[in-house]
Amino acid sequence: MSDLLVKLYDLPDMSELMAGLASDGVDIKRAIAPEKHIVSGWVAEKFSKGWASEAETAFSNHPVSCFVAAKEGRILGFACYDAACRGFFGPIGVDEDMRGTGVGKALTIRTLQAMAEAGYGYAIIGWAGPVNFFKKTVNAVVIEDSKPGIYRGMLRTLKESE
Ligand SMILES: CC(C)(COP(=O)(O)OP(=O)(O)OC[C@H]1O[C@@H](n2cnc3c(N)ncnc32)[C@H](O)[C@@H]1OP(=O)(O)O)[C@@H](O)C(=O)NCCC(=O)NCCS
């Protein structure tokens, strides 16, 4: 899977999307340190231990470089930056039951906004799975010859090697 590039100075407006989610009780917010074990455990359960490791790294940054979607104190999705590498966006994941409701788009744009606020001009989406999702939501473009990029030679568990 290739990496993607996103212009942080040309992000789409998300005020309507955020208002719609807020009216459904969904909040998109920067995570705080006491939530680390909740986010990490949820990511490991729903996605992978590798992504949980990345989320934990995001919690070691100041400010925490992880955003969450939450409703009534329950996590619905997460997105990180500056986890695998400085300037990288991801990982991102939304609870299967909540997909298709705009949570992924809102998390993506909010997290990319935070990267712009942190001083980045462009974001790199590492090892992007759903390329069309990122093309559609934030006009991402594929970086040629970026596979396997920074992930070359990454350690794997025996199960992942099968
Ligand atoms: C990718 C993911 C985060 C999208 O989250 P989501 O909440 O379902 O996305 P949204 O509801 O915000 O979708 C926004 C738009 O993108 C479209 N979209 C969603 N997933 C898509 C995909 N895989 N490919 C193309 N378009 C997609 C939606 O149809 C929607 O279009 P619309 O604005 O015209 O209605 C979610 O499917 C997910 O968690 N996948 C598993 C983890 C993953 O692959 N993460 C990426 C790692 S790089």
Side-chain angles (χ1 to χ4, degrees):
M1 276 183 264
S2 298
D3 297 341
L4 311 179
L5 194 68
V6 182
K7 295 172 182 166
L8 295 179
Y9 48 83
D10 204 13
L11 292 172
D13 179 74
M14 65 179 304
S15 39
E16 227 174 88
L17 174 61
M18 287 294 258
L21 289 172
S23 70
D24 290 334
V26 177
D27 187 24
I28 307 286
K29 63 158 204 126
R30 193 186 287 270
I32 58 169
E35 298 166 329
K36 177 179 169 181
H37 66 290
I38 296 174
V39 176
S40 169
W42 184 84
V43 173
E45 182 197 324
K46 302 272 181 183
F47 298 100
S48 70
K49 286 184 181 172
W51 282 15
S53 296
E54 292 192 74
E56 285 173 20
T57 301
F59 273 85
S60 68
N61 290 327
H62 293 281
V64 170
S65 59
C66 177
F67 282 78
V68 290
K71 183 171 183 175
E72 291 162 3
R74 301 284 172 193
I75 178 170
L76 307 175
F78 82 109
C80 303
Y81 67 95
D82 284 355
C85 242
R86 278 195 189 154
F88 270 45
F89 167 93
I92 175 172
V94 172
D95 195 296
E96 252 178 300
D97 293 344
M98 287 302 294
R99 291 186 194 161
T101 64
V103 170
K105 182 176 180 179
L107 274 170
T108 300
I109 299 172
R110 181 64 192 93
T111 305
L112 291 170
Q113 280 176 348
M115 292 185 73
E117 286 155 15
Y120 292 111
Y122 294 84
I124 292 152
I125 302 175
W127 199 265
V131 171
N132 289 335
F133 166 75
F134 294 114
K135 282 185 176 171
K136 183 173 197 178
T137 53
V138 290
N139 293 315
V141 293
V142 172
I143 301 173
E144 296 302 330
D145 300 323
S146 58
K147 176 189 170 182
I150 65 147
Y151 307 94
R152 185 184 303 275
M154 191 168 79
L155 296 177
R156 289 177 292 171
T157 62
L158 281 178
K159 199 173 157 208
E160 286 165 338
S161 308
E162 280 165 14

